[in-house]
Short mmCIF file of all heavy atoms in Angstrom, two decimals:
data_model
loop_
_atom_site.label_atom_id
_atom_site.label_comp_id
_atom_site.label_asym_id
_atom_site.label_seq_id
_atom_site.Cartn_x
_atom_site.Cartn_y
_atom_site.Cartn_z
N MET A 1 199.81 72.40 123.14
CA MET A 1 199.37 71.69 124.34
C MET A 1 200.57 71.50 125.27
O MET A 1 201.65 71.13 124.83
CB MET A 1 198.78 70.34 123.93
CG MET A 1 198.17 69.59 125.11
SD MET A 1 197.47 68.00 124.61
CE MET A 1 195.82 68.51 124.16
N SER A 2 200.36 71.71 126.54
CA SER A 2 201.46 71.57 127.48
C SER A 2 201.72 70.10 127.78
O SER A 2 200.88 69.24 127.52
CB SER A 2 201.16 72.31 128.77
OG SER A 2 200.33 71.53 129.59
N LEU A 3 202.88 69.82 128.35
CA LEU A 3 203.24 68.43 128.67
C LEU A 3 202.24 67.84 129.68
O LEU A 3 201.85 66.70 129.58
CB LEU A 3 204.66 68.40 129.24
CG LEU A 3 205.18 67.01 129.61
CD1 LEU A 3 205.21 66.11 128.39
CD2 LEU A 3 206.56 67.11 130.22
N PHE A 4 201.81 68.67 130.64
CA PHE A 4 200.86 68.17 131.64
C PHE A 4 199.55 67.75 130.98
O PHE A 4 198.98 66.73 131.31
CB PHE A 4 200.60 69.23 132.71
CG PHE A 4 201.75 69.40 133.65
CD1 PHE A 4 202.47 70.57 133.69
CD2 PHE A 4 202.10 68.36 134.50
CE1 PHE A 4 203.53 70.72 134.56
CE2 PHE A 4 203.17 68.51 135.37
CZ PHE A 4 203.89 69.69 135.40
N CYS A 5 199.09 68.55 130.02
CA CYS A 5 197.85 68.21 129.33
C CYS A 5 198.04 66.93 128.53
O CYS A 5 197.16 66.08 128.49
CB CYS A 5 197.44 69.35 128.39
SG CYS A 5 196.89 70.79 129.30
N PHE A 6 199.21 66.80 127.91
CA PHE A 6 199.49 65.60 127.13
C PHE A 6 199.40 64.36 128.01
O PHE A 6 198.95 63.30 127.58
CB PHE A 6 200.88 65.73 126.51
CG PHE A 6 201.24 64.55 125.64
CD1 PHE A 6 200.66 64.40 124.39
CD2 PHE A 6 202.16 63.61 126.06
CE1 PHE A 6 200.99 63.31 123.59
CE2 PHE A 6 202.50 62.53 125.27
CZ PHE A 6 201.90 62.39 124.03
N LEU A 7 199.79 64.48 129.25
CA LEU A 7 199.75 63.36 130.19
C LEU A 7 198.39 63.23 130.86
O LEU A 7 198.21 62.39 131.73
CB LEU A 7 200.83 63.56 131.27
CG LEU A 7 202.26 63.53 130.74
CD1 LEU A 7 203.24 63.92 131.83
CD2 LEU A 7 202.61 62.16 130.19
N GLY A 8 197.45 64.09 130.51
CA GLY A 8 196.10 64.00 131.07
C GLY A 8 195.95 64.75 132.38
O GLY A 8 194.95 64.62 133.06
N ARG A 9 196.97 65.55 132.74
CA ARG A 9 196.90 66.31 134.00
C ARG A 9 196.55 67.75 133.67
O ARG A 9 197.40 68.63 133.69
CB ARG A 9 198.23 66.23 134.73
CG ARG A 9 198.59 64.78 135.05
CD ARG A 9 199.89 64.70 135.78
NE ARG A 9 199.80 65.29 137.09
CZ ARG A 9 200.22 64.71 138.21
NH1 ARG A 9 200.77 63.53 138.16
NH2 ARG A 9 200.12 65.30 139.36
N HIS A 10 195.30 67.98 133.35
CA HIS A 10 194.86 69.31 132.98
C HIS A 10 194.76 70.20 134.21
O HIS A 10 194.57 69.73 135.32
CB HIS A 10 193.51 69.25 132.28
CG HIS A 10 193.55 68.46 131.01
ND1 HIS A 10 194.03 68.99 129.83
CD2 HIS A 10 193.19 67.20 130.74
CE1 HIS A 10 193.95 68.06 128.89
NE2 HIS A 10 193.46 66.96 129.41
N LYS A 11 194.86 71.49 133.98
CA LYS A 11 194.77 72.45 135.09
C LYS A 11 193.48 73.24 134.94
O LYS A 11 193.36 74.07 134.03
CB LYS A 11 195.97 73.39 135.02
CG LYS A 11 195.98 74.40 136.14
CD LYS A 11 197.11 75.38 135.95
CE LYS A 11 196.97 76.53 136.93
NZ LYS A 11 197.47 77.77 136.38
N PRO A 12 192.48 72.99 135.78
CA PRO A 12 191.22 73.71 135.64
C PRO A 12 191.38 75.20 135.91
O PRO A 12 192.04 75.60 136.85
CB PRO A 12 190.30 73.05 136.67
CG PRO A 12 191.21 72.39 137.64
CD PRO A 12 192.47 72.04 136.90
N SER A 13 190.80 75.99 135.04
CA SER A 13 190.84 77.44 135.21
C SER A 13 189.84 77.85 136.27
O SER A 13 188.66 77.53 136.20
CB SER A 13 190.51 78.09 133.87
OG SER A 13 189.94 79.34 134.07
N VAL A 14 190.30 78.58 137.28
CA VAL A 14 189.43 78.97 138.40
C VAL A 14 188.27 79.82 137.91
O VAL A 14 187.14 79.67 138.35
CB VAL A 14 190.26 79.74 139.46
CG1 VAL A 14 189.35 80.28 140.55
CG2 VAL A 14 191.31 78.82 140.06
N SER A 15 188.53 80.69 136.94
CA SER A 15 187.48 81.60 136.47
C SER A 15 186.38 80.87 135.72
O SER A 15 185.28 81.38 135.61
CB SER A 15 188.10 82.69 135.60
OG SER A 15 188.69 82.11 134.46
N SER A 16 186.67 79.68 135.19
CA SER A 16 185.66 78.95 134.43
C SER A 16 184.95 77.90 135.26
O SER A 16 184.06 77.22 134.77
CB SER A 16 186.30 78.28 133.21
OG SER A 16 187.08 77.18 133.62
N MET A 17 185.34 77.75 136.53
CA MET A 17 184.77 76.69 137.35
C MET A 17 183.29 76.96 137.66
O MET A 17 182.92 78.07 137.96
CB MET A 17 185.55 76.59 138.66
CG MET A 17 186.21 75.25 138.85
SD MET A 17 187.15 75.21 140.37
CE MET A 17 188.80 75.11 139.70
N ALA A 18 182.49 75.91 137.57
CA ALA A 18 181.06 76.07 137.85
C ALA A 18 180.50 74.72 138.27
O ALA A 18 181.11 73.68 138.04
CB ALA A 18 180.34 76.57 136.61
N ARG A 19 179.33 74.75 138.87
CA ARG A 19 178.63 73.51 139.19
C ARG A 19 178.13 72.90 137.89
O ARG A 19 177.54 73.59 137.07
CB ARG A 19 177.42 73.82 140.08
CG ARG A 19 177.79 74.28 141.46
CD ARG A 19 178.32 73.16 142.28
NE ARG A 19 177.40 72.71 143.32
CZ ARG A 19 177.66 71.63 144.04
NH1 ARG A 19 178.74 70.93 143.83
NH2 ARG A 19 176.84 71.25 144.97
N SER A 20 178.33 71.61 137.73
CA SER A 20 177.82 70.98 136.52
C SER A 20 176.42 70.45 136.79
O SER A 20 176.00 70.30 137.94
CB SER A 20 178.74 69.86 136.06
OG SER A 20 178.46 68.68 136.79
N LYS A 21 175.69 70.18 135.70
CA LYS A 21 174.32 69.70 135.84
C LYS A 21 174.27 68.34 136.49
O LYS A 21 173.28 67.96 137.08
CB LYS A 21 173.67 69.64 134.46
CG LYS A 21 173.46 71.01 133.87
CD LYS A 21 173.07 70.91 132.41
CE LYS A 21 173.10 72.30 131.77
NZ LYS A 21 173.08 72.21 130.32
N LYS A 22 175.36 67.57 136.40
CA LYS A 22 175.36 66.22 136.97
C LYS A 22 175.61 66.23 138.47
O LYS A 22 175.63 65.19 139.10
CB LYS A 22 176.45 65.38 136.31
CG LYS A 22 176.21 65.18 134.82
CD LYS A 22 177.37 64.41 134.22
CE LYS A 22 177.45 64.62 132.72
NZ LYS A 22 178.76 64.20 132.21
N GLY A 23 175.86 67.38 139.08
CA GLY A 23 176.07 67.45 140.52
C GLY A 23 177.51 67.61 140.91
O GLY A 23 177.82 67.87 142.05
N GLY A 24 178.43 67.48 139.96
CA GLY A 24 179.84 67.70 140.25
C GLY A 24 180.25 69.11 139.88
O GLY A 24 179.45 70.04 139.95
N HIS A 25 181.49 69.26 139.48
CA HIS A 25 181.98 70.56 139.05
C HIS A 25 182.49 70.46 137.62
O HIS A 25 182.95 69.40 137.19
CB HIS A 25 183.11 71.04 139.96
CG HIS A 25 182.61 71.43 141.32
ND1 HIS A 25 182.38 70.51 142.32
CD2 HIS A 25 182.29 72.64 141.84
CE1 HIS A 25 181.93 71.16 143.39
NE2 HIS A 25 181.87 72.44 143.13
N ALA A 26 182.45 71.59 136.94
CA ALA A 26 182.94 71.64 135.57
C ALA A 26 183.85 72.84 135.42
O ALA A 26 183.69 73.85 136.11
CB ALA A 26 181.77 71.73 134.60
N ALA A 27 184.83 72.74 134.54
CA ALA A 27 185.75 73.85 134.29
C ALA A 27 186.43 73.62 132.95
O ALA A 27 186.33 72.54 132.37
CB ALA A 27 186.79 73.94 135.41
N LEU A 28 187.09 74.64 132.48
CA LEU A 28 187.89 74.52 131.26
C LEU A 28 189.35 74.49 131.65
O LEU A 28 189.78 75.18 132.57
CB LEU A 28 187.63 75.70 130.33
CG LEU A 28 186.19 75.83 129.81
CD1 LEU A 28 186.06 77.10 128.98
CD2 LEU A 28 185.79 74.62 129.00
N CYS A 29 190.15 73.70 130.93
CA CYS A 29 191.58 73.64 131.22
C CYS A 29 192.22 75.00 130.93
O CYS A 29 191.95 75.62 129.90
CB CYS A 29 192.24 72.55 130.38
SG CYS A 29 194.02 72.50 130.64
N ASP A 30 193.04 75.46 131.86
CA ASP A 30 193.70 76.75 131.72
C ASP A 30 194.67 76.75 130.54
O ASP A 30 194.92 77.78 129.94
CB ASP A 30 194.47 77.04 133.01
CG ASP A 30 194.40 78.51 133.37
OD1 ASP A 30 193.71 79.26 132.67
OD2 ASP A 30 195.04 78.88 134.36
N ASN A 31 195.22 75.61 130.21
CA ASN A 31 196.25 75.55 129.18
C ASN A 31 195.69 75.26 127.79
O ASN A 31 196.10 75.89 126.82
CB ASN A 31 197.28 74.47 129.54
CG ASN A 31 198.05 74.84 130.78
OD1 ASN A 31 198.44 75.99 130.96
ND2 ASN A 31 198.27 73.88 131.64
N CYS A 32 194.80 74.29 127.68
CA CYS A 32 194.36 73.85 126.36
C CYS A 32 192.88 74.05 126.11
O CYS A 32 192.42 73.82 125.00
CB CYS A 32 194.76 72.40 126.14
SG CYS A 32 193.91 71.23 127.20
N GLY A 33 192.10 74.46 127.11
CA GLY A 33 190.68 74.77 126.89
C GLY A 33 189.78 73.56 126.85
O GLY A 33 188.60 73.70 126.57
N VAL A 34 190.31 72.37 127.14
CA VAL A 34 189.48 71.17 127.14
C VAL A 34 188.47 71.24 128.29
O VAL A 34 188.83 71.64 129.38
CB VAL A 34 190.38 69.91 127.27
CG1 VAL A 34 189.60 68.71 127.80
CG2 VAL A 34 191.01 69.58 125.94
N PRO A 35 187.22 70.87 128.05
CA PRO A 35 186.25 70.83 129.15
C PRO A 35 186.59 69.73 130.14
O PRO A 35 186.86 68.59 129.73
CB PRO A 35 184.91 70.58 128.46
CG PRO A 35 185.17 70.30 127.03
CD PRO A 35 186.63 70.51 126.75
N LEU A 36 186.59 70.07 131.42
CA LEU A 36 186.92 69.11 132.47
C LEU A 36 185.72 68.94 133.38
O LEU A 36 184.90 69.85 133.51
CB LEU A 36 188.10 69.60 133.29
CG LEU A 36 189.36 69.94 132.52
CD1 LEU A 36 190.35 70.64 133.43
CD2 LEU A 36 189.99 68.70 131.93
N GLU A 37 185.64 67.79 134.04
CA GLU A 37 184.59 67.61 135.03
C GLU A 37 185.17 66.89 136.24
O GLU A 37 186.14 66.15 136.15
CB GLU A 37 183.40 66.84 134.45
CG GLU A 37 183.73 65.42 134.04
CD GLU A 37 182.54 64.73 133.38
OE1 GLU A 37 181.51 65.37 133.20
OE2 GLU A 37 182.68 63.54 133.08
N LYS A 38 184.55 67.15 137.39
CA LYS A 38 185.00 66.57 138.65
C LYS A 38 183.77 66.12 139.38
O LYS A 38 182.81 66.89 139.54
CB LYS A 38 185.74 67.64 139.44
CG LYS A 38 186.21 67.24 140.81
CD LYS A 38 187.05 68.41 141.33
CE LYS A 38 187.04 68.48 142.83
NZ LYS A 38 187.95 67.51 143.42
N ILE A 39 183.76 64.87 139.83
CA ILE A 39 182.61 64.35 140.54
C ILE A 39 183.00 64.12 141.99
O ILE A 39 183.97 63.42 142.27
CB ILE A 39 182.12 63.05 139.87
CG1 ILE A 39 181.47 63.40 138.53
CG2 ILE A 39 181.09 62.35 140.75
CD1 ILE A 39 181.72 62.41 137.46
N ASP A 40 182.26 64.78 142.90
CA ASP A 40 182.55 64.73 144.33
C ASP A 40 184.01 65.12 144.58
O ASP A 40 184.44 66.16 144.16
CB ASP A 40 182.22 63.33 144.88
CG ASP A 40 180.73 63.03 144.78
OD1 ASP A 40 179.94 63.98 144.85
OD2 ASP A 40 180.38 61.86 144.65
N ASN A 41 184.77 64.25 145.25
CA ASN A 41 186.16 64.59 145.55
C ASN A 41 187.13 63.87 144.63
O ASN A 41 188.30 63.73 144.93
CB ASN A 41 186.48 64.26 147.00
CG ASN A 41 185.76 65.20 147.94
OD1 ASN A 41 185.66 66.39 147.68
ND2 ASN A 41 185.23 64.68 149.03
N GLY A 42 186.65 63.41 143.49
CA GLY A 42 187.51 62.71 142.54
C GLY A 42 188.42 63.66 141.79
O GLY A 42 188.36 64.87 141.98
N PRO A 43 189.26 63.10 140.95
CA PRO A 43 190.19 63.93 140.19
C PRO A 43 189.48 64.64 139.04
O PRO A 43 188.41 64.23 138.60
CB PRO A 43 191.20 62.90 139.64
CG PRO A 43 190.40 61.63 139.53
CD PRO A 43 189.40 61.67 140.65
N TRP A 44 190.10 65.70 138.54
CA TRP A 44 189.59 66.36 137.34
C TRP A 44 189.85 65.45 136.14
O TRP A 44 190.95 64.93 135.99
CB TRP A 44 190.28 67.71 137.13
CG TRP A 44 189.78 68.76 138.07
CD1 TRP A 44 190.35 69.12 139.25
CD2 TRP A 44 188.62 69.57 137.92
NE1 TRP A 44 189.60 70.10 139.84
CE2 TRP A 44 188.54 70.40 139.04
CE3 TRP A 44 187.63 69.67 136.94
CZ2 TRP A 44 187.51 71.33 139.21
CZ3 TRP A 44 186.61 70.60 137.11
CH2 TRP A 44 186.56 71.42 138.24
N ARG A 45 188.82 65.28 135.32
CA ARG A 45 188.96 64.46 134.12
C ARG A 45 188.38 65.22 132.95
O ARG A 45 187.45 66.00 133.12
CB ARG A 45 188.15 63.17 134.24
CG ARG A 45 188.62 62.25 135.32
CD ARG A 45 187.53 61.24 135.63
NE ARG A 45 187.94 60.41 136.77
CZ ARG A 45 188.45 59.20 136.64
NH1 ARG A 45 188.57 58.67 135.47
NH2 ARG A 45 188.84 58.53 137.69
N PRO A 46 188.89 64.95 131.75
CA PRO A 46 188.27 65.55 130.56
C PRO A 46 186.82 65.09 130.48
O PRO A 46 186.52 63.92 130.68
CB PRO A 46 189.10 64.98 129.39
CG PRO A 46 190.39 64.56 130.01
CD PRO A 46 190.07 64.16 131.43
N ALA A 47 185.92 66.03 130.23
CA ALA A 47 184.49 65.70 130.14
C ALA A 47 184.23 64.85 128.91
O ALA A 47 184.93 64.95 127.91
CB ALA A 47 183.67 66.98 130.08
N GLN A 48 183.23 64.00 129.03
CA GLN A 48 182.84 63.17 127.89
C GLN A 48 182.02 64.03 126.94
O GLN A 48 180.85 64.25 127.16
CB GLN A 48 182.01 61.98 128.37
CG GLN A 48 182.74 61.09 129.34
CD GLN A 48 183.94 60.40 128.70
OE1 GLN A 48 183.88 59.94 127.59
NE2 GLN A 48 185.04 60.36 129.43
N ALA A 49 182.67 64.51 125.90
CA ALA A 49 181.99 65.39 124.95
C ALA A 49 181.87 64.70 123.60
O ALA A 49 182.73 63.91 123.24
CB ALA A 49 182.77 66.69 124.80
N PRO A 50 180.82 64.99 122.89
CA PRO A 50 180.70 64.43 121.53
C PRO A 50 181.89 64.84 120.68
O PRO A 50 182.42 65.94 120.81
CB PRO A 50 179.40 65.06 121.00
CG PRO A 50 178.64 65.46 122.22
CD PRO A 50 179.67 65.79 123.27
N ALA A 51 182.32 63.95 119.80
CA ALA A 51 183.50 64.21 118.97
C ALA A 51 183.33 65.48 118.16
O ALA A 51 184.31 66.20 117.91
CB ALA A 51 183.76 63.03 118.06
N ALA A 52 182.11 65.79 117.74
CA ALA A 52 181.89 66.98 116.92
C ALA A 52 182.29 68.24 117.67
O ALA A 52 182.85 69.18 117.10
CB ALA A 52 180.43 67.06 116.49
N ILE A 53 182.00 68.27 118.98
CA ILE A 53 182.34 69.46 119.77
C ILE A 53 183.84 69.57 119.92
O ILE A 53 184.42 70.64 119.82
CB ILE A 53 181.64 69.39 121.15
CG1 ILE A 53 180.12 69.51 120.96
CG2 ILE A 53 182.16 70.48 122.07
CD1 ILE A 53 179.33 69.36 122.24
N ILE A 54 184.50 68.44 120.16
CA ILE A 54 185.95 68.48 120.33
C ILE A 54 186.63 68.97 119.05
O ILE A 54 187.53 69.80 119.10
CB ILE A 54 186.45 67.06 120.71
CG1 ILE A 54 185.91 66.69 122.10
CG2 ILE A 54 187.98 67.03 120.70
CD1 ILE A 54 186.17 65.25 122.48
N GLN A 55 186.16 68.49 117.93
CA GLN A 55 186.76 68.92 116.67
C GLN A 55 186.52 70.40 116.41
O GLN A 55 187.37 71.08 115.86
CB GLN A 55 186.20 68.08 115.51
CG GLN A 55 186.80 66.67 115.54
CD GLN A 55 186.18 65.74 114.51
OE1 GLN A 55 185.28 66.13 113.78
NE2 GLN A 55 186.67 64.53 114.46
N ALA A 56 185.35 70.90 116.81
CA ALA A 56 185.04 72.31 116.57
C ALA A 56 185.95 73.22 117.38
O ALA A 56 186.14 74.38 117.03
CB ALA A 56 183.58 72.57 116.92
N ARG A 57 186.50 72.71 118.48
CA ARG A 57 187.33 73.55 119.35
C ARG A 57 188.76 73.63 118.86
O ARG A 57 189.54 74.40 119.40
CB ARG A 57 187.32 72.97 120.77
CG ARG A 57 185.94 72.96 121.38
CD ARG A 57 186.03 72.49 122.82
NE ARG A 57 186.72 73.45 123.64
CZ ARG A 57 186.10 74.45 124.30
NH1 ARG A 57 184.81 74.57 124.23
NH2 ARG A 57 186.78 75.29 125.02
N ARG A 58 189.15 72.82 117.92
CA ARG A 58 190.54 72.82 117.46
C ARG A 58 190.79 73.93 116.45
O ARG A 58 189.88 74.31 115.76
CB ARG A 58 190.90 71.49 116.85
CG ARG A 58 191.13 70.48 117.99
CD ARG A 58 191.60 69.14 117.47
NE ARG A 58 191.74 68.22 118.58
CZ ARG A 58 191.57 66.90 118.45
NH1 ARG A 58 191.31 66.35 117.30
NH2 ARG A 58 191.71 66.12 119.50
ZN1 LIG B 101 194.77 70.89 129.36
#
């Protein structure tokens, strides 16, 4: 994991960016693959995912 990811500053991958079902945007972090979400003009944040999914990605 990069230092930026450790600090919560993930970098959304442009190729994975898509409209999310909630009306915002969704993407995967370019560095660590964590699912990110963005609502309106807010910052990118790690998506609220069930713990089982997060563990399966490790
Ligand atoms: Zn990341």
